[in-house]
């Protein structure tokens, strides 16, 4: 089936299976492998992307339902080869170890901070609970998101 | 591989579902359906994409009722201040369902119609006297939400019918509700036991009450005899415990990876009493407005 | 990759069955299928520690998930259909799920092909030190109890992915996340009858392992078999379900432990009977007992000890080498009994720990030579930070409690092979760029950064100047592999030695060109200069070019091999590691006594890391390890009913979320180990070891009950409260 959507501000048109997930389309049809798959059951959050600004697990998102929509993946958060603010904060704080949960975690953090840049530690932990990290124990992820939230709040 | 049908309006969807009776599976948020397809639990010939039916999404309030369109996202309910004021149990159930991502995708109609015994929304809706509106080839019909469930994964909907909305009665002046659950992890788990309670008072005694359970029977249970135990009382610890004991007796839990049957029954007894208590405090204005109940009713999780 | 096929595996649906026949003909004929393999049409030899396993089972299947056949097809859908077309005729056999039943001579034999097994006992680990009977007679207090753990999973967020491709000339390249790379290559060759000189292993970035990807698994061999048969490259991706069902787990271990002490709280003996439920095959998972034994005999000073351990075969997924490797399980027993003993004596558990703490220069009963040891300091730090003295035993009214646990673990390698070494090469090229080629692997633990820092420090250059190459067996020198918290210590020492050699080569050239003796040269930021003569200096790039671009020139290239000064244990005695790591945790919990739900409120940790080469990475290892330990303590379990994993998914498994893990307080204690690179010791596993024991002790403090197994899921805690499960004090003359 025909699918038209915008990913990271670029328009795409593809023929995809009617029951294809958005994750499959992003990785296999568009070659955007920054978005990871860890479970295909919505339990790990590694495949988190934004659809029209809202976070979804792309493994359970029927691609056809995003027809005409706007998708942001981790590749869309940096600009001109520079890291985005959350990405840079993850590097600074040691918030990534193996890095496999990181793309989904960063996209989820972006959604969380857009919703509430002043989120405190408890709100951040609640907001990121759908993104499992097996390496870090979450301390440094929370630190990175707190840091960006403070910077964004100060800038506005 | 199923084909996808994308209707323009509700009538198209109903017509298509009637034509392909038993072969067409509606997809709303997809969070259950895509898993069912992948593991072969569902093998439809057609998927019917409900997402274009925008009229079925959204909240509508009037003085009397709160109408929740079947395609309303769980996240919308979670963040809505008016739902929180009218039906705190519904917001508390929404808050603990899956992750932010899942709640952003999943719809209330999907959560109901997938009929998972541990689904969070049904008990919370049941204690608010939810009425289901169902559209079919011959028009709309209404039924009490509890009549919609017939077994694990099964509803009383006909093949050619769709749930379009659930409607909650306006809360009485002095009323309150609450949803609590038991889980292993503090987030992302399905409920081992889920309990909702609602209480109305005239200022002195309980004038009306509802108790509903999930994950402890093949279908979500509204336990009238539990609620009856507190009506006409001041909702003391004793009456709450009596109600809880009746709820525990009414359920029929199983043993699985999420707990033993015996344990679940014990927890029903605990959580029903707590949920009634919190609902009572809300009804009497003693619970701070806008503050959600702790997940299991007691542990705040605040460090020293 | 052009022509890449999709691999898929047919797994046994039965826990124990004889295979009467297998028919692949329909699958072979399905269009789009390029290879179907099973035991009847491939060359394979037994592999694994006990050589009791085959990649594709021909005679019997021994657990639900055992590999029977596999296909390579053009896409996933075709591969799935092909698997459905394979017909297997099974004769069901009685199965053994209970490891205690497996001890029995009359239990159904799981490996009837192996001679001389008593019952289903695969291995025994027995050890005696000192006079336990005399110590027991002398003891004022003895506590006794059982302590059990479940089957758990490493559960990295990335599942296993393997790609195998043969060149037309027969050279095999395998892309694999394995981290015992050189052994993997040899086992591939030995099992499949390949020439191991014609195998290259490439390790792409790995999405976490925690021991799950340490060793070779049947699916590794199978991917190569498929590529060989199909004459096309094959990729095998394990689904999350297959990851839980078909890759290595943390083995359940059951301890019956007794500990005795004198009236002053001085430990006199430990006596342990241990049964390891290691599953269908005896891989390296059996050696979790080695680590468990270390903790029984050597955690604190214990004058006499007795260990009797049986590793059993059962019809379940088999055990591997998961982070902590037997130590979280053993520490759960040992450290609960430390608090049980102290309570029986009316003493503070921290005082009892401090009285018995291991100290520098101790040699433990198994001959472990402790070099640096910060255990005492670690205990003191968490005692202070948690408010232990004011708060333990005083929070029960609020259903809160504090509990502690400490650990000992190898921190300077672990010699379980002929060599525990690692090779390193350092080259400096004509641009001045420094490249470390290390035998060790990066799994996300940050070893590339730590090794680069060691080289940068040794060569007096900024960190950015050092590149690390570590992912290709054609390029990198030999290494045992990444395990046993050894990389910073062993690979770090090797990198440091190679860097020092490369630096000396540069100094030699500089001495010649700058016409000054080496002892008059100083290096600042990659530039060699003559002391007191700022005009005479030359940077690394120029030195390399001057050395290279001349007649009889040479490159700057150094190699080193570091094998720690340790010995293979004989009769379980010998100094297995060049250094030992220590640490202590205090947990604070709140318990809902009516539902048994437990909330972890705080976790204070202190770890003796030798020296923190990179404090942020050290903290990351400890925090991540502790979070895994919290998962073990409270939620993680593969619940098994009749040999079947009830719910092989991440939510029912119980991987901790950001809400299940509190802010973990980390203290790095630096003891500057004499043998570690710049004094560093291993820290990869320390964090996971104490939490289950500390949390159990905290639950005991909050409720008065004594936890007997983890995970302490709500229904278990509620059950212990209902039955008033208590510590068992078999003697109290204090």
């Amino acid at each position: 089936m025909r699918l038209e959507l915008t990913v990271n501000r670029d328009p795409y048109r593809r023929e995809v299976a009617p029951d294809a997930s958005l994750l499959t389309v992003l990785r296999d049809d568009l070659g955007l492998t920054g978005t990871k798959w860890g479970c295909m059951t919505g339990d790990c959050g590694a495949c988190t992307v934004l659809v029209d600004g809202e976070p979804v697990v792309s493994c359970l998102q029927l691609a056809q339902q995003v027809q005409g929509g706007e998708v942001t993946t981790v590749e869309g958060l940096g600009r001109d080869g520079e890291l985005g603010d959350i990405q840079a904060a993850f590097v600074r704080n040691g918030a990534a170890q193996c890095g496999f949960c990181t793309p989904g975690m960063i996209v989820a953090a972006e959604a969380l901070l857009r919703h509430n840049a002043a989120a405190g530690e408890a709100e951040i932990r609640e907001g990121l609970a759908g993104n499992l990290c097996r390496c870090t124990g979450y301390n440094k992820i929370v630190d990175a998101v707190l840091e960006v939230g403070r910077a964004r709040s100060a800038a506005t | 591989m199923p084909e996808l049908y994308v209707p323009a309006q509700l009538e198209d969807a109903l017509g298509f579902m009637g034509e392909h009776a038993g072969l067409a599976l509606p997809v709303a948020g997809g969070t259950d359906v895509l898993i069912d397809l992948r593991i072969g639990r569902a093998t439809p010939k057609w998927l019917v994409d409900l997402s274009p039916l925008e009229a079925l999404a959204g909240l509508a309030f009037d003085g009397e009722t709160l109408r929740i369109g079947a395609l309303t996202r769980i996240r919308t309910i979670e963040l809505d201040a008016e739902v929180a004021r009218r039906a705190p149990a519904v917001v508390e159930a929404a808050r603990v369902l899956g992750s932010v991502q899942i709640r952003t995708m999943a719809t209330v109609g999907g959560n109901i119609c997938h009929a998972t015994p541990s689904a969070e929304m049904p008990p919370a809706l049941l204690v608010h006297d939810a009425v289901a509106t169902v559209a079919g080839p011959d028009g709309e019909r209404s039924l009490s939400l509890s009549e919609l469930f017939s077994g694990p994964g099964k509803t009383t909907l006909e093949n050619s019918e769709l749930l379009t909305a659930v409607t909650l009665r306006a809360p009485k002046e002095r009323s309150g509700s609450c949803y609590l659950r038991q889980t292993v992890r503090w987030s992302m788990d399905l409920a081992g036991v889920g309990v909702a309670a609602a209480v109305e008072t005239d200022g002195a005694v309980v004038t009306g009450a509802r108790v509903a359970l999930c994950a402890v029977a093949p279908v979500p249970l509204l336990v009238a005899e539990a609620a009856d135990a507190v009506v006409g009382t001041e909702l003391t610890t004793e009456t709450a415990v009596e109600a809880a004991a009746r709820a525990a007796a009414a359920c029929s839990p199983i043993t699985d990876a999420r707990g033993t049957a015996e344990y679940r029954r014990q927890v029903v007894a605990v959580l029903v009493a707590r949920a009634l208590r919190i609902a009572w405090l809300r009804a009497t204005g003693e619970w701070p407005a806008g503050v959600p109940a702790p997940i299991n009713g007691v542990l705040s999780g605040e460090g020293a | 990759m052009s022509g890449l096929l999709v691999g898929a595996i047919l797994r046994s649906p039965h826990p124990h069955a004889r295979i009467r026949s297998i028919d692949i003909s329909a699958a072979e004929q399905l269009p789009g299928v390029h290879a179907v393999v099973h035991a009847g049409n491939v060359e394979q030899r037994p592999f694994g520690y006990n050589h009791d396993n085959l990649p594709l089972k021909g005679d019997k299947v021994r657990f639900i998930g055992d590999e029977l056949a596999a296909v390579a097809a053009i896409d996933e859908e075709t591969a799935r259909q092909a698997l459905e077309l394979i017909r297997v005729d099974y004769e069901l056999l009685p199965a053994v799920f209970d490891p205690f039943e497996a001890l029995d001579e009359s239990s159904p034999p799981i490996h009837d092909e192996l001679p001389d097994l008593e019952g289903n006992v695969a291995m025994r680990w027995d050890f005696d030190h000192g006079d336990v009977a005399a110590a027991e007679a002398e003891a004022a207090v003895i506590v006794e109890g059982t302590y059990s753990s479940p089957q758990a999973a490493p559960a990295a967020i990335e599942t296993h992915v393997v790609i195998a491709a043969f060149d037309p000339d027969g050279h095999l390249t395998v892309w694999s996340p394995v981290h015992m790379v050189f052994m993997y290559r040899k086992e591939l060759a030995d099992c499949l009858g390949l020439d191991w000189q014609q195998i290259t292993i490439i390790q792409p970035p790995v999405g976490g392992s925690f021991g799950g990807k340490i060793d070779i698994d049947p699916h590794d061999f199978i991917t190569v078999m498929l590529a060989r048969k199909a004459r096309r490259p094959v990729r095998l991706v394990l689904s999350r379900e297959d990851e839980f069902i078909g890759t290595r787990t943390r083995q359940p271990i059951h301890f019956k432990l007794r500990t005795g002490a004198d009236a002053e709280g001085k430990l006199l003996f430990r006596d342990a009977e241990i049964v390891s439920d290691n599953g269908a095959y005896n891989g390296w998972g059996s050696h979790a007992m080695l680590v468990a034994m270390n903790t029984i005999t050597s955690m604190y000073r214990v004058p006499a000890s007795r260990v009797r351990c049986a590793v059993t075969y059962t019809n379940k997924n088999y055990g591997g080498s998961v982070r902590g490797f037997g130590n979280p399980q053993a520490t759960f027993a040992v450290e609960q009994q430390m608090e049980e003993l102290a309570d029986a004596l009316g003493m503070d558990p921290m005082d009892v720990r401090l009285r018995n703490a291991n100290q520098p220069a101790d040699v433990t009963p198994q001959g472990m030579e402790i070099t640096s040891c910060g255990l005492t300091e670690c205990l003191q730090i968490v005692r202070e930070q948690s408010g232990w003295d004011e708060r333990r035993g005083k929070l029960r009214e609020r259903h809160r409690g504090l509990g502690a646990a400490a650990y000992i673990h190898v921190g300077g390698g672990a010699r379980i092979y002929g060599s525990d070494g690692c090779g390193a090469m350092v080259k400096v090229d004509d641009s001045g760029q420094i490249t470390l080629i290390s035998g060790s692997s990066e799994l996300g633990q940050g070893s590339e950064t730590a090794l680069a820092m060691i080289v940068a420090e040794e060569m007096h250059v900024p960190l950015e100047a050092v590149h690390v190459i570590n992912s290709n067996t054609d390029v990198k020198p030999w290494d045992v592999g990444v395990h046993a918290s050894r990389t910073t210590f062993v690979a770090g020492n090797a990198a440091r030695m190679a860097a020092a050699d490369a630096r000396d080569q540069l100094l030699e050239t500089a001495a010649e060109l700058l016409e000054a003796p080496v002892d008059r040269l100083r290096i600042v930021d990659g530039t060699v200069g003559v002391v007191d003569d700022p005009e005479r200096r030359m940077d690394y790039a120029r030195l390399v070019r001057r050395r290279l671009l001349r007649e009889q020139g040479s490159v700057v290239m150094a190699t080193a091999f570091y094998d720690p000064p340790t010995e293979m244990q004989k009769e379980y005695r010998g100094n297995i590691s060049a250094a030992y790591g220590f640490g202590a945790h205090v947990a604070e919990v709140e318990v809902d006594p009516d539902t048994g739900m437990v909330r972890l409120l705080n976790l204070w940790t202190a770890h003796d890391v030798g020296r923190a080469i990179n404090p942020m990475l050290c903290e990351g290892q400890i925090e991540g390890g502790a979070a895994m330990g919290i998962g073990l303590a409270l939620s993680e379990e593969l619940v098994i009913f009749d040999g079947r994993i009830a719910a092989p998914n991440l939510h029912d498994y119980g991987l901790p979320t950001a809400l299940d893990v509190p802010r973990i307080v980390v203290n790095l204690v630096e003891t500057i180990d004499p043998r570690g690179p710049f004094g560093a010791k291993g820290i990869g596993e320390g964090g996971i070891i104490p939490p289950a024991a500390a949390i159990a002790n905290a639950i005991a403090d909050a409720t008065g009950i004594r936890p007997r197994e983890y995970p302490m899921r709500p229904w278990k805690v509620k059950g212990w409260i209902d039955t008033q499960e208590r510590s068992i004090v078999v003697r109290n003359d204090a």
Side-chain angles (χ1 to χ4, degrees), chain B residues 1 35 38-39 181-190 192 255-260 262-264 266-267 270-271 274 294-304, chain C residues 77 241 391 400 588 590-602 634-635 639 641 646-647 649-652 654-657 659-660 713-716 718 722:
Chain B
M1 186 198 302
I35 295 173
R38 194 167 293 122
I39 65 174
R181 67 175 191 165
Q182 173 271 321
T183 51
V184 173
R185 294 183 298 173
W186 290 88
S187 182
M188 288 298 290
D189 270 10
L190 301 183
T255 294
D256 64 13
R258 285 175 215 136
T260 64
E262 183 199 359
Y263 168 76
R264 283 175 155 149
Q266 290 180 314
V267 171
V270 173
L271 294 188
R274 286 179 186 168
I295 286 171
N296 64 346
V298 291
L299 300 190
S300 66
E302 278 155 28
Chain C
E77 180 61 19
E241 185 180 6
R391 300 170 68 231
R400 291 189 178 196
E588 180 174 4
E590 185 175 0
V591 180
D592 172 3
D594 299 321
T595 64
M597 292 173 78
V598 177
R599 190 131 206 172
L600 178 62
L601 303 175
N602 289 294
L634 295 172
S635 57
V639 176
F641 295 123
N649 61 63
L650 285 169
H651 64 261
D652 284 310
L655 206 83
T657 72
L659 272 179
D660 297 291
R713 285 183 165 183
W715 48 93
K716 293 189 202 159
K718 173 77 169 126
D722 288 350

Side-chain angles (χ1 to χ4, degrees), chain C residues 215-252:
Chain C
D215 285 323
I216 198 157
D217 279 327
H219 68 257
D220 292 289
F221 298 108
I222 289 168
T223 310
V224 174
M225 289 170 172
L226 288 169
R228 200 179 193 185
K229 193 155 200 87
R231 298 173 174 274
R232 292 259 295 262
V234 173
R235 177 172 63 176
L236 189 91
V237 181
L238 291 196
S239 67
R240 177 57 61 186
E241 185 180 6
D242 276 1
E243 185 81 5
F244 277 126
I245 291 173
T247 68
R248 304 293 66 80
T249 58
R250 184 189 299 278
Q251 49 292 100

Side-chain angles (χ1 to χ4, degrees), chain B:
Chain B
M1 186 198 302
E3 297 294 311
L4 183 72
Y5 172 70
V6 185
Q9 49 192 346
L10 178 60
E11 289 67 32
D12 300 341
L14 294 171
F16 189 90
M17 304 250 319
E19 256 171 65
H20 300 85
L23 302 174
L25 180 68
V27 189
T31 53
D32 285 322
V33 169
L34 264 74
I35 295 173
D36 289 350
L37 291 175
R38 194 167 293 122
I39 65 174
R41 187 155 56 199
T43 52
K45 192 162 181 315
W46 290 92
L47 294 173
V48 180
D49 177 10
L50 303 183
S51 62
L53 311 181
E54 283 168 19
L56 301 192
L59 304 163
F61 303 94
D62 61 30
E64 284 304 302
T65 61
L66 159 57
R67 186 175 186 282
I68 306 175
L71 292 184
T72 307
R73 309 280 174 176
I74 303 298
R75 182 75 168 155
T76 305
I77 294 169
E78 176 194 353
L79 298 176
D80 192 273
E82 186 62 20
V83 182
R85 199 182 64 75
R86 289 175 173 236
V90 173
V91 167
E92 278 165 352
R95 275 191 78 197
V96 296
L97 191 159
S99 59
V100 173
Q101 293 92 317
I102 296 289
R103 302 198 287 276
T104 299
M105 303 165 74
T107 66
V108 68
N111 191 253
I112 292 168
C113 292
H114 195 255
T116 309
S118 60
E120 315 278 357
M121 300 308 292
L125 295 166
L126 285 171
V127 299
H128 284 279
D129 293 334
V131 170
T133 306
V134 172
D138 308 320
E140 281 193 347
R141 65 183 176 107
S142 293
L143 65 164
S144 145
L145 181 63
S146 59
E147 292 168 357
L148 202 72
F149 303 100
S150 58
K154 293 196 173 68
T155 67
T156 57
L157 288 177
E158 298 291 333
N159 282 325
S160 53
E161 288 185 319
L162 285 170
L163 175 72
T164 56
V166 283
T167 305
L168 309 186
R169 206 158 42 83
K172 298 262 170 58
E173 187 63 24
R174 281 179 282 215
S175 66
S177 71
C178 172
Y179 177 79
L180 304 176
R181 67 175 191 165
Q182 173 271 321
T183 51
V184 173
R185 294 183 298 173
W186 290 88
S187 182
M188 288 298 290
D189 270 10
L190 301 183
V193 174
V195 166
V199 165
E200 292 156 6
T201 175
D202 57 7
V205 296
V206 175
T207 52
R210 303 279 185 280
V211 171
L213 316 172
C214 68
V216 289
V219 294
L221 285 186
L222 194 57
V223 190
E225 62 269 35
D228 292 346
V230 297
V231 174
T233 76
E234 289 176 37
L235 208 118
T236 58
T237 306
E238 290 72 29
T239 56
V241 165
E242 171 58 23
R246 291 185 186 185
C251 68
S252 51
I254 58 166
T255 294
D256 64 13
R258 285 175 215 136
T260 64
E262 183 199 359
Y263 168 76
R264 283 175 155 149
R265 212 182 277 279
Q266 290 180 314
V267 171
V268 167
V270 173
L271 294 188
V272 165
R274 286 179 186 168
L276 278 167
R277 189 76 205 153
I278 292 169
W280 169 259
L281 293 175
R282 283 183 169 145
T284 55
E286 292 164 75
W287 187 274
V291 174
I295 286 171
N296 64 346
V298 291
L299 300 190
S300 66
E302 278 155 28

Side-chain angles (χ1 to χ4, degrees), chain A residues 97-120:
Chain A
Q97 285 184 29
C98 85
F100 197 80
C101 75
T102 310
M105 192 71 79
I106 285 175
V107 173
E110 176 69 32
L112 183 137
L113 291 176
R114 283 187 195 178
H115 179 69
N116 178 14

